[in-house]
């Protein structure tokens, strides 16, 4: 069953702690993305990666970090430097970074208190 | 930078009424995509429009891409309860896909 998996679905952390969100895809897609979604707002791009061992900052990269050591995996770390980390985080992939449709994972809802 | 705005932000309609959401870009787009996100779910790709003035239909859904390739619309005829969710447009331009703010559709049975 091909697709994108994100885990966990819900995540709770104390303020000041770093937390890593996982994203795995078995679609053999080259490009992967991380988005943040807040109530009443659209999807804002955090980071994206076009190929293994390469990634670029999106519109709101401050306070986040990523790695792309394997084609199928693109974990996102929310660091303590992110001032307002509570949000719904969505991972997506596409065959390339051109005008391809994006396939989204189920998302991780992170709550930091 | 490229900005994509959608209106309205919310829309409540009686079941059976029509619904339209509009998408406007600050820059000319190469193409535009539309996604649907059910409550509690994740965005799912609906369609992509590429040509100026293009119109595509999917059953009760009609998608249009403006002549100037800066705006688009999604029209749903005779809404059903299964249409509830948030509809996003996403414009591709300057090698970047930018999502609109979304229109949240609720259906009154």
């Amino acid at each position: 069953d091909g697709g994108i998996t994100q885990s966990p679905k819900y995540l709770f952390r104390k303020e000041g702690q770093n937390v890593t969100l996982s994203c795995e895809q078995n679609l053999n897609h080259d490009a992967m993305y991380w988005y943040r979604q807040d109530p009443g707002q659209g999807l804002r791009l955090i980071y994206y990666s076009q190929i293994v061992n390469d990634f670029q900052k999106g519109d709101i990269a401050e306070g986040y970090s990523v790695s792309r050591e394997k084609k199928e995996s693109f974990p996102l770390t929310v660091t303590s430097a992110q001032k307002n980390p509570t949000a719904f985080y969505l991972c997506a992939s596409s065959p390339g970074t051109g005008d391809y449709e994006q396939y989204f994972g189920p998302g991780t809802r992170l709550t930091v208190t | 930078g490229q900005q994509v705005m959608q209106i309205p932000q919310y829309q409540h309609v009686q079941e059976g009424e029509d619904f339209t959401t509009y998408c406007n870009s600050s820059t000319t787009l190469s193409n535009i995509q539309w996604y649907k996100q059910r409550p509690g779910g994740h965005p799912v790709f609906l369609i992509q429009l590429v040509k100026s003035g293009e119109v595509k239909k999917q059953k009760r859904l009609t998608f249009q891409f403006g002549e100037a390739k800066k705006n688009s619309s999604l029209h749903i005829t005779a809404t059903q309860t299964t249409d509830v969710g948030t509809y996003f447009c996403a414009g591709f331009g300057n090698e970047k896909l930018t999502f609109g703010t979304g229109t949240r559709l609720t259906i009154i049975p």
Side-chain angles (χ1 to χ4, degrees):
Chain A
D1 187 26
I4 301 177
T5 56
Q6 290 184 246
S7 61
K9 189 169 184 177
Y10 299 95
L11 191 55
F12 298 88
R13 280 294 182 271
K14 293 290 186 183
E15 195 173 319
Q17 293 179 335
N18 291 355
V19 58
T20 298
L21 282 58
S22 76
C23 177
E24 304 278 332
Q25 55 101 357
N26 62 4
L27 300 167
N28 200 33
H29 285 171
D30 285 322
M32 296 187 74
Y33 312 81
W34 274 106
Y35 293 92
R36 171 181 172 137
Q37 186 173 32
D38 295 284
Q41 297 195 36
L43 281 66
R44 292 185 289 168
L45 183 64
I46 304 173
Y47 268 99
Y48 67 101
S49 168
Q50 300 180 64
I51 198 168
V52 174
N53 292 323
D54 185 53
F55 48 83
Q56 283 80 41
K57 293 182 179 179
D59 299 318
I60 55 165
E62 185 175 351
Y64 300 97
S65 66
V66 294
S67 63
R68 186 87 186 276
E69 297 177 2
K70 298 187 294 183
K71 186 175 185 178
E72 58 271 22
S73 179
F74 191 40
L76 173 75
T77 297
V78 184
T79 75
S80 56
Q82 169 49 235
K83 295 179 181 177
N84 187 19
T86 295
F88 187 47
Y89 290 89
L90 287 158
C91 178
S93 73
S94 65
T97 52
D99 55 347
Y100 298 99
E101 68 181 89
Q102 295 191 5
Y103 297 76
F104 285 83
T108 292
R109 193 167 297 278
L110 173 65
T111 302
V112 177
T113 56
Chain B
Q2 180 174 287
Q3 292 186 332
V4 178
M5 302 300 294
Q6 262 183 274
I7 56 170
Q9 188 174 2
Y10 301 96
Q11 186 77 59
H12 312 281
V13 300
Q14 292 276 355
E15 187 175 6
E17 290 183 341
D18 292 357
F19 159 77
T20 304
T21 174
Y22 300 91
C23 183
N24 290 287
S25 170
S26 58
T27 59
T28 302
L29 302 170
S30 299
N31 64 66
I32 195 152
Q33 301 175 1
W34 284 92
Y35 292 79
K36 177 183 178 180
Q37 184 176 21
R38 293 182 184 275
H42 58 275
V44 175
F45 175 82
L46 294 176
I47 208 162
Q48 176 172 280
L49 304 171
V50 179
K51 299 177 184 177
S52 170
E54 187 170 14
V55 178
K56 286 189 176 180
K57 292 190 175 184
Q58 288 180 348
K59 297 183 181 179
R60 295 178 294 103
L61 277 63
T62 301
F63 304 84
Q64 291 188 328
F65 200 10
E67 294 289 341
K69 301 185 77 172
K70 294 182 72 174
N71 56 62
S72 181
S73 65
L74 158 59
H75 180 82
I76 302 178
T77 303
T79 54
Q80 300 175 358
T81 55
T82 54
D83 294 326
V84 295
T86 301
Y87 293 84
F88 292 97
C89 63
F92 188 80
N94 298 325
E95 300 184 356
K96 183 180 174 183
L97 187 69
T98 301
F99 280 82
T101 46
T103 295
R104 185 173 178 179
L105 172 65
T106 56
I107 307 289
I108 305 165

